[in-house]
Each structure stands twice: as C-alpha cells, then as structure tokens.
Amino acid sequence: DIQMTQSPSSLSASVGDRVTIACRATQNIANYLNWYQKKPGEAPRLLIYAASRLQSGVPSRFSGSGSGTFFTLTISSLQPGDSATYYCQQTIGDLVWTFGQGTKVEIQ
Amino acid sequence: EVNLVESGGGLVQPGGSLRLSCTASGFTIGDYWMSWVRQAPGKGLEWVANIKQDSSEKYYVDSVKGRFIISRDNAKNSLYLQMNSLRVDDTSVYYCVRIRYFGVPSQDVWGQGTTVTVS
C-alpha cells in the first residue's frame, strides 16, 4: 500500500505569514494527490485536487504543487479562519486510498 | 444545493452490528462513485470503502475487509455501510462522501458525519 507522510505534524504561525506543508508518498503517484481542510465539528473540505488545481470556491491564497512523490500545500497569507488540520490524500492506488496523518495549523 | 446526510450511528457493543445510511440531495448518486471515510477521536482521516456507480466494484481498507459491506440503492439516491463484528477501534465519525473525477479522483462533497461508538 502507498503511505503518505506529512511534515510538519503541527505548526504555529501569525496572520499574514506564508505557510507550507509537505506531503511525501512512498511511491510515484503522478498528480493523484488531493488536499483537504478539516476543522473540529465540521466536515472535511476539498481544497486542492490533482496536486495543483484549486477547488471551486476555495480562496486563491491556497495553492498546491508537486508530482511524483513530493507535494506541497501553501497558504500565501495565513488568515484567522485557516486554523485547521490539513490532510493530503493519494487516489492512485487501485481505488484503495490513503490520507497523510495531518498537519495542524494554529494561529499565533 | 448538493447535500449528503448520514444516519444510523449510535452506541453498540463489541461484536455487534450497525447499518449506516446516507441520503443524497441535489444530485444523482447513480452518476458517481461513492465512499465512506472515518475519523476516530483525536485521530486523522481514514478512507474506509469505495463503490462504483453500478455496484460492480467495491474496495475496502484492510482493517474492515470481511466485516464491512458498502452498498447503494440508486433508485433511493442512498448509500449504505453495513458494519459487522464491530471492534472498539471502529469508534469514529463516519462520513459519506461523493467521488468526482476531474482528471484524478477526489472527494468533493461530504456529509456532516454520524458517530459510531463501540463500547
């Protein structure tokens, strides 16, 4: 099975900061990589699909990049509402999918 | 408005069974692969199962194979998860999710979740 590893596990940053989260796959997944935002008590929300495509309705301060085994999610200017846990997910593995362990983003 | 609403969660003893339901509105589930995703207390998201539009293909995470069954009734616009031989570590919020293919598959519509407690 394909394993996904995110780093860091958590981070604390200030409003306006640029934040980058990394996600690494144990094998080549091309661009079969999605990013989700999860807030406590809420359903997860799709932010980025196919590694770099912005989901409709998601603010443009969110962006994704990468291919193969290494990917990043960047928030260009952190906002108070961005406090959440972010997950990467691979969707190439024969319809057997895996999420990263999550990165918790806190606002200082 | 596109929406998914789960039901059927609750408290069950280890070894017991539970059937989750998910009703869609605003779209036809028969046009989409569908899935279940769960999140245990204090843990991350875990993909559980996928089902094709015509139910001809089903996929499961290893930890639920042989115990959980994903199914659907397109005429009722509904998705189900039959959970048998439940274990304490199945305790989670279970989300019903739509799968969309824009080049690659992603999970673009999520229900609010239903809580399953095995204790």
Side-chain angles (χ1 to χ4, degrees):
Chain A
D1 291 354
I2 301 171
Q3 304 302 317
M4 308 300 292
T5 302
Q6 292 180 228
S7 61
S9 295
S10 64
L11 64 90
S12 181
S14 300
V15 171
D17 282 355
R18 182 181 183 89
V19 169
T20 298
I21 299 168
C23 176
R24 191 179 297 274
T26 54
Q27 62 190 73
N28 188 345
I29 60 170
N31 69 333
Y32 285 68
L33 191 285
N34 306 310
W35 290 96
Y36 300 86
Q37 178 190 64
K38 177 69 170 70
K39 296 180 179 181
E42 296 184 11
R45 175 193 184 193
L46 176 66
L47 297 177
I48 301 287
Y49 65 97
S52 61
R53 299 184 182 180
L54 191 68
Q55 170 69 354
S56 176
V58 174
S60 59
R61 64 180 180 274
F62 292 93
S63 64
S65 66
S67 66
T69 62
F70 186 75
F71 304 85
T72 59
L73 172 71
T74 297
I75 308 172
S76 61
S77 178
L78 194 66
Q79 299 301 303
D82 298 337
S83 179
T85 301
Y86 294 84
Y87 294 90
C88 63
Q89 176 201 39
Q90 66 80 14
T91 58
I92 195 173
D94 289 333
L95 273 295
V96 175
W97 298 344
T98 45
F99 289 92
Q101 82 278 16
T103 296
K104 186 174 184 178
V105 174
E106 295 180 328
I107 311 295
Q108 286 181 344
Chain B
E1 182 185 3
V2 172
N3 202 26
L4 292 166
V5 178
E6 304 93 337
S7 61
L11 175 63
V12 61
Q13 292 183 340
S17 297
L18 213 54
R19 188 194 195 208
L20 306 184
S21 300
C22 168
T23 300
S25 59
F27 72 102
T28 301
I29 73 160
D31 294 334
Y32 295 88
W33 282 77
M34 297 292 294
S35 67
W36 289 96
V37 173
R38 67 183 179 182
Q39 184 174 34
K43 303 295 184 181
L45 298 174
E46 180 180 41
W47 167 80
V48 174
N50 286 344
I51 185 169
K52 194 176 180 180
Q53 289 93 327
D54 62 1
S55 302
S56 63
E57 295 181 40
K58 303 177 183 181
Y59 300 87
Y60 301 91
V61 67
D62 284 349
S63 60
V64 309
K65 282 180 182 176
R67 301 188 300 121
F68 289 13
I69 300 171
I70 188 172
S71 64
R72 62 195 298 160
D73 186 334
N74 292 338
K76 294 183 178 180
N77 224 26
S78 294
L79 178 73
Y80 307 99
L81 187 67
Q82 177 66 43
M83 303 185 296
N84 301 321
S85 303
L86 281 161
R87 309 189 303 218
V88 172
D89 62 0
D90 293 318
T91 295
S92 292
V93 176
Y94 285 76
Y95 295 98
C96 170
V97 194
R98 186 177 82 172
I99 298 170
R100 180 194 70 184
Y101 280 79
F102 273 9
V104 306
S106 63
Q107 296 177 296
D108 70 328
V109 179
W110 295 67
Q112 283 301 307
T114 187
T115 300
V116 174
T117 303
V118 185
S119 178

